[in-house]
Amino acid sequence: MNAPNKSGWKPGTPTDATSAMNGPDTVTGNRALMLEEPLIFEIGDSETTGVDFAFASRLDLAGVEQPKQPTAASEHRSRLGGLDRAEKIELPGLSEPETVRHYTRLSRQNYAIDLGLFPLGSCTMKHNPRLNEKVARLPGFADVHPLQPVSTVRGALEVINELAFWLIELTGMHGVAMSPKAGAHGELCGILCIRAALEARGDAREVVLVPESAHGTNPATAAFAGYRVEDIPANADGRVDLEALKARLGPDVAAVMITNPNTCGLFEPDMKAISDAVHEAGGFVYCDGANFNAIVGKVRPGDLGVDAMHINLHKTFSTPHGGGGPGSGPVVLSEALSPFAPLPYTARTDDGTVHLVEEEDAESFAQEHYGTTMQSFGRMTAFHGQMGMFTRALTYILSHGADGLKQVAEDAVLNANYVLRSCEDVLHAPFAKSGPCMHEALFGDKGFGGELTTLDLAKGMIDEGFHPMTMYFPLVVHGAMLIEPTETESKASLDQFIAALRHVSSRAMDGDEGLKSAPYYAPRRRLDETQAARKPVLAWEEPEAPSGTPTQSERGGR
Amino acid sequence: MRYLPLTDSDRGDMLATIGVSDIDDLFVDVPAEARLSGPIEGLPTHASEMAVEKHMRRLSKKNLAAADAAFFCGAGAYRHHVPATVDHIIQRGEFLTAYTPYQPEIAQGTLQMLFEFQSQVAKLYGCAVANASMYDGSTACWEAVAMAGRVTKKKRVVLSGALHPHYAEVVKTMAKFTEDEIAGGLPSMQGSPDDAGLIERIDENTSCVVVQYPDILGRISDLTEIADAAHKKGALLIVVNTEPVALGAIKAPGEMGADIVVGEGQSIGVGLQFGGPYLGLFAVRDPKHVRQMPGRLCGETVDAEGKRGFVLTLSTREQHIRREKATSNICTNSGLCALAFSVHMTLLGEKGLRTLAAENHRLACLAADKLDAIPGVRVLNDAFFNEFTVVLERDARELVRDLAEDDILAGVSLGRLFPHEEALSGGLLVAVTETASEEDIDALCSAISENMA
Ligand SMILES: Cc1ncc(COP(=O)(O)O)c(C=O)c1O
């Protein structure tokens, strides 16, 4: 073989760190494909615009209809009531090519699922199919107003109903509130249903029990709804301590909020017994469904006595996270809670149909189907929820079907256990002995050498080309590292990740101080978060002109 | 199953590495009676890309797309032309498939964009600081009310009757659980909002006054007096804006003394999408209120080599740190919609935004004059931006339904927004943006005059 690459190097071969990035300084600050990008406020100005307006143009193309000569504004007096915005707004504009380049350059400073494994535990960073994007952009979905007459949006309502049907079937629940905008909004929806149900029976309860391992949104939600939050004790295996929970239950407990599979990545084997005990004490069971991906198509929360559970469509059902949202958090509900669902909502009636119920017909629907007056706790958001996410999630669900979704759960769990068992000899895995994990593997920082921390390990993973795992969550494990590979990773990708994690873990165990300064190869070195919080700079401000006469170079160019 | 890379032989090898023989050995913690043995019965199985697309396309065809109609709907969601660049950029995988920027060294793209977005929103609203987005305008409105309660330690909330009814409903729903006392009402069917009446309702126990600008009927008035009156009683003024394009033509709420400005950002960069996902905007005029704000904030800092960089900051306000004491339970927000807004706003720039706003206003004035000339139709507003109310001598809701048969989406009837309110049933909200042609306006006018009887 006379290939130029005689050493046999190929991607995946370790590089000699000392040889990398050791060239001379550059005058631009760029390093080839590592391109720095100023703020729009530094490169744009108020006079530039990247948009041409039809009415400002003089189109004169053969075969193209001439726009009517626009009626001059002066023929119609301005109706702004003297409120014209006189002051400069100072919004910078860029031409279209500059705009494309600005954001494309910025985009390259991001890690993303499209670039590699993104093992953020609890966040379910799975592949986002592009068919979903295509479907959501069909004009019949993307270009429809929420308040068009119902006769013109039948298809949109069918999408909501069809997705609602799937969510109900997959969870074995009775109804579903589709309007919540994300997981935390769904939690609020569920807790408010519970509160409304309790109030309807004249039962004012004050406490919501939440495990210490719960996601921060759980206690924040319960507090927002006016409840006092108390801890649920955990046992040494990282599960809810059933006996201790039973002992705490009583007439003051409105609900327990349980995450299942829990945030340690473990299934709560006593879930049914927990639900029974809570129900017996007159309370309700809220299940945080953020981890539904582990059991979708395998286990139905309705069979475990759950009363309300939100489903993050942006986790289990593959709608993109978009750098922080938007999400969607439909809440499936038990028969006891369904009547209290927010408006608008969907519910399945005995004849098997799923209805969309809004303010106008809420009363008549309740009379007809529940034989009571309307009991909905009210409205949580304008309009009907995250339609753009519904179309994506339904597209995903139909692509997988019942068999594919079951396979999703199985592969997600398989991948996580593979990581767990491939790394438990080099990293402390606090619950590994109690059996398999579900869709995520949990490790702690026990045994790290020197002053090294979970943060250091995470930053070391960045240099290896991976997004780090979730750090310091759940709170119940010291220096927690929660790894959720998801089912959309190949074995080859997992093997490379495992090799990297094993390597960085041994460095951490050995007290390799070099990790303290990682990452070395990211667009930025470690950022000073203390300074950011101490003297917050949260918006662009024009820098004050330096005193003195500007030099020639300062005056010229932009 | 095209989204699943593992092969059966991979699965076998991996099970062997784990040390179990069957996948169900990994589900042992699930009690046997709760474990399903096969795929859930009665549900379809996996389908090809082509088959799924066909199904979804068929559903989409049952909707009347705005582009296929003469279109005048508004009431909190507006149709504007979104440049092709916007959709291209938000589909770049590095933005689309990233998470909340928890690891700033490899999320500078999202973070710098958020810093720019926050700055754009702050300038648009005439405020000092904006956050990195909320779910939508209605939830941002409630969060502002909750924040006012924290700042003033008072519980009485005065809502303008001309606040979007969905927004008012969200506030009322949430207030039931926080024991805030809500004083609301219906919009007065007058040419100008009843500011004097609103001012009268402010008292010493008032935490905040919530005013929409332009209001639900499209009316606009100077808010300075309301701001002064609120401040005299120790209350905050919350201004809600559902049409950000308007602020390219009319004074910013911050300029008139608003303490918290919230709104819907959908108009800029985010399409109609049947109501969501949208983009909640949230800003405060006085930086001293920053630590009471809900949601994520992106701030400037430096890295270990002294280079400028951005991070999420002041997170001790947030649920993941403060848990039950957080200022809000929000976690996932509307990041990608914020990107769409920011890209569109960058393309527009001040010049483009002002031109766009002027064109919206010009067309709305044109439509208002033409409609006002129709017998049985009267324009209510003294002032407006791109949306106004006409009062018809017949039920507007029925008229809207009738005209929809001919692919004319004439607007949003007040009967749809305020069902069961007889006095409002003749009201029709007409929004006119740059997407409406003068031909569309003529079509609307002739259809209305033909259908007045
Ligand atoms: C366990 C858990 N609960 C709740 C949430 C909140 O969901 P969202 O971010 O969609 O509001 C998350 C997501 O981060 C989570 O991981």
Side-chain angles (χ1 to χ4, degrees), chain A residues 93-114:
Chain A
L94 295 176
S95 67
E96 181 176 311
E98 291 171 300
T99 303
V100 169
R101 192 166 289 165
H102 175 73
Y103 290 100
T104 304
R105 283 180 169 223
L106 287 187
S107 74
R108 292 164 46 102
Q109 303 185 13
N110 268 2
Y111 196 88
I113 306 171
D114 282 2

Side-chain angles (χ1 to χ4, degrees), chain A residues 121-124 181-187 213-218 259 261-263 288-291 310-315 321 324 327-329 440 473 482 484, chain B residues 99-100 102 135 296 319 329-333:
Chain A
S122 205
C123 300
T124 314
K181 297 257 164 186
H185 208 221
E187 289 172 29
S213 58
H215 193 258
T217 51
N218 291 191
T259 309
N262 69 25
T263 60
D288 182 328
N291 294 339
H310 75 260
I311 299 169
N312 311 61
L313 297 185
H314 47 298
K315 298 184 178 185
H321 280 86
S328 179
E440 49 198 3
F473 173 81
L482 190 62
E484 179 178 8
Chain B
Y99 199 72
T100 304
Y102 289 140
Y135 303 133
R296 304 206 190 276
Q319 46 77 24
N329 72 341
I330 192 168
C331 179
T332 291
N333 54 25

Side-chain angles (χ1 to χ4, degrees), chain A residues 410 414 417 421 436, chain B residues 8-28 35:
Chain A
E410 292 179 355
L414 179 63
N417 277 284
R421 296 307 167 200
Chain B
D8 276 339
S9 90
D10 291 336
R11 291 183 181 109
D13 292 348
M14 291 163 73
L15 286 171
T17 304
I18 295 165
V20 296
S21 55
D22 188 90
I23 186 69
D24 273 339
D25 295 340
L26 300 178
F27 285 84
V28 285
R35 226 181 296 155

Side-chain angles (χ1 to χ4, degrees), chain A residues 50 71 76 79 90 110-111 143-145 152 158 162 239 298 324 360 377 403 411 459 524 528, chain B residues 11 24 29 46 55 62 64 66 74 103 105-106 110 136 176 274 301 308 333 347 350 362 369 397:
Chain A
T71 317
H76 298 268
R79 312 284 180 76
E90 288 170 347
N110 268 2
Y111 196 88
D143 195 20
V144 183
H145 191 281
T152 66
E158 277 188 43
E162 205 169 313
R239 269 89 169 185
K298 290 284 283 188
E360 276 203 278
F377 73 73
D403 54 336
D411 284 1
K459 301 301 183 193
R524 284 290 176 274
D528 188 341
Chain B
R11 291 183 181 109
D24 273 339
D29 283 340
H46 65 280
H55 175 79
K62 294 188 183 176
L64 174 58
Q103 296 286 346
E105 298 87 353
I106 48 171
T110 295
D136 72 355
K176 277 192 266 181
F274 198 55
T301 187
R308 177 171 72 192
N333 54 25
L347 281 166
E350 173 153 0
R362 185 186 71 80
D369 285 348
R397 196 162 188 194

Side-chain angles (χ1 to χ4, degrees), chain A residues 40-41 43-49 88-94 542 558, chain B residues 123 348-355:
Chain A
I40 49 172
F41 298 88
I43 51 177
D45 61 65
S46 312
E47 292 309 311
T48 304
T49 180
K88 261 208 160 312
I89 314 174
E90 288 170 347
L91 287 166
L94 295 176
E542 202 63 50
R558 348 183 242 186
Chain B
K123 286 184 186 299
L348 286 168
E350 173 153 0
K351 182 174 177 208
L353 180 68
R354 284 186 181 272
T355 314

Side-chain angles (χ1 to χ4, degrees), chain A residues 394-462:
Chain A
L394 181 58
T395 300
Y396 174 81
I397 287 175
L398 293 173
S399 296
H400 267 312
D403 54 336
L405 290 170
K406 175 171 169 284
Q407 192 67 50
V408 162
E410 292 179 355
D411 284 1
V413 169
L414 179 63
N415 281 357
N417 277 284
Y418 185 64
V419 171
L420 178 66
R421 296 307 167 200
S422 303
C423 297
E424 63 181 336
D425 58 327
V426 288
L427 265 185
H428 173 60
F431 304 120
K433 285 203 181 55
S434 70
C437 65
M438 297 301 283
H439 62 306
E440 49 198 3
L442 178 60
F443 298 97
D445 66 359
K446 199 163 159 186
F448 280 15
E451 303 279 289
L452 293 179
T453 63
T454 290
L455 184 75
D456 301 324
L457 182 145
K459 301 301 183 193
M461 289 301 287
I462 291 178

Side-chain angles (χ1 to χ4, degrees), chain A residues 126-139:
Chain A
K126 61 169 72 177
H127 170 65
N128 302 148
R130 290 316 193 271
L131 177 63
N132 302 357
E133 298 302 310
K134 184 177 182 189
V135 164
R137 284 168 172 79
L138 294 172

